[in-house]
Amino acid sequence: MTFFCGSAVVATLASGITSAPLQEAAGMIVVPFEKSITTIGLWLTDINKSFQEKQDLIDQNEELKNTVDTLTEQNNILIQNQSELSRLQELYDLDAEYSDYPKVAARIISKDPGNWYDTFMINKGSKDGIKKDMNVIAGNGLVGIVYDVSSHTAKVRTIINDTSMVSAMFLKTNDACIVNGSLDTMEDGYLEVVYISKDAKVKNGDELVTSYVSSKFNEGITIGKVSDLKLDSTKLTKTARVTPVVDFKHLKEVLVITDLK
């Protein structure tokens, strides 16, 4: 186009003829060309604008993702704090319920494999006044007993452990019985209660607590409520099921009663 225009100028000046025909010819060539260039320019501008808008959306989306991640993290922290507050409130209420007994709070730091907290280790030991056979409580009642102690840790065997046997009694009647630990029955949500006197005036729904005749457990600590009372095969005693008040799948903090029976 530059060459054409230059040639047209030179030719016009050299010939001395009017430039009208050349102007008309140039108009026929240049105007469509300008329109094409303008159209292409607008099209490229729209594409550039579209890319810019897309990049802006990508940046905004990334910013929103970061905001969501931050809020999610903050929300998880709040949920954890709320959960911990609820557990500590339970311990506080439990401490008040058994105010006659001195206690030490402890956190569970390890447990045996499996779904249940049948044995576990706490972060308090002999340096903190913990001794073997001290009772352990959490939630709404009895968890178990300390069976091994080191300077800074201690191991706890819970009442659901297969080797556990707890001397218990019915809170309303003081009738004695034994609660047998069993992970198998706990899968169905209960422990077996045996050696209930056939003449005991007890009924389903009665509360079971630790007995005053127990050699290791302090008296009156809640174990759970009984169900399925019936005569055993000998017809001399009754058996029942007890549903523990403690959640043995979600323990985290416990209280250790520092008074030995």
Side-chain angles (χ1 to χ4, degrees), residues 70-259:
T70 301
L71 292 175
T72 300
E73 182 179 356
Q74 292 175 351
N75 186 57
N76 289 338
I77 292 173
L78 289 174
I79 292 173
Q80 292 174 359
N81 289 341
Q82 181 62 40
S83 178
E84 183 173 7
L85 179 62
S86 298
R87 295 195 308 271
L88 293 178
Q89 182 63 49
E90 284 184 353
L91 288 183
Y92 178 81
D93 294 341
L94 191 65
D95 182 38
E97 183 177 352
Y98 297 101
S99 58
D100 292 341
Y101 295 125
K103 310 169 199 70
V104 171
R107 185 180 294 270
I108 297 172
I109 56 176
S110 68
K111 63 181 286 292
D112 283 349
N115 295 327
W116 298 100
Y117 281 78
D118 59 318
T119 59
F120 56 81
M121 181 181 291
I122 57 176
N123 65 342
K124 297 293 175 68
S126 59
K127 295 287 187 181
D128 306 289
I130 306 299
K131 297 178 181 178
K132 184 179 178 181
D133 291 338
M134 285 183 172
N135 296 181
V136 180
I137 58 177
N140 295 311
L142 182 65
V143 171
I145 196 166
V146 175
Y147 72 93
D148 188 41
V149 181
S150 63
S151 297
H152 299 287
T153 62
K155 294 180 180 179
V156 177
R157 180 175 60 250
T158 68
I159 63 172
I160 69 171
N161 185 270
D162 291 334
T163 63
S164 176
M165 293 179 64
V166 181
S167 294
M169 65 182 182
F170 288 87
L171 182 61
K172 290 183 178 180
T173 65
N174 289 344
D175 285 294
C177 58
I178 297 293
V179 177
N180 288 328
S182 171
L183 294 180
D184 287 340
T185 62
M186 273 306 299
E187 289 295 337
D188 295 321
Y190 71 91
L191 297 176
E192 188 180 20
V193 184
V194 296
Y195 301 125
I196 307 168
S197 172
K198 69 175 182 178
D199 299 321
K201 305 299 182 182
V202 295
K203 60 182 183 298
N204 291 329
D206 282 353
E207 187 173 347
L208 211 59
V209 300
T210 50
S211 174
Y212 60 91
V213 300
S214 174
S215 61
K216 293 184 178 181
F217 288 98
N218 289 288
E219 177 185 352
I221 303 175
T222 302
I223 298 173
K225 293 186 177 181
V226 299
S227 61
D228 199 26
L229 273 162
K230 59 185 178 182
L231 282 173
D232 62 19
S233 58
T234 66
K235 308 297 183 182
L236 299 176
T237 58
K238 295 178 181 178
T239 61
R241 296 178 175 183
V242 60
T243 302
V245 293
V246 173
D247 182 358
F248 286 100
K249 279 190 174 180
H250 303 98
L251 288 172
K252 193 166 185 180
E253 295 92 8
V254 296
L255 294 176
V256 181
I257 297 175
T258 54
D259 268 354

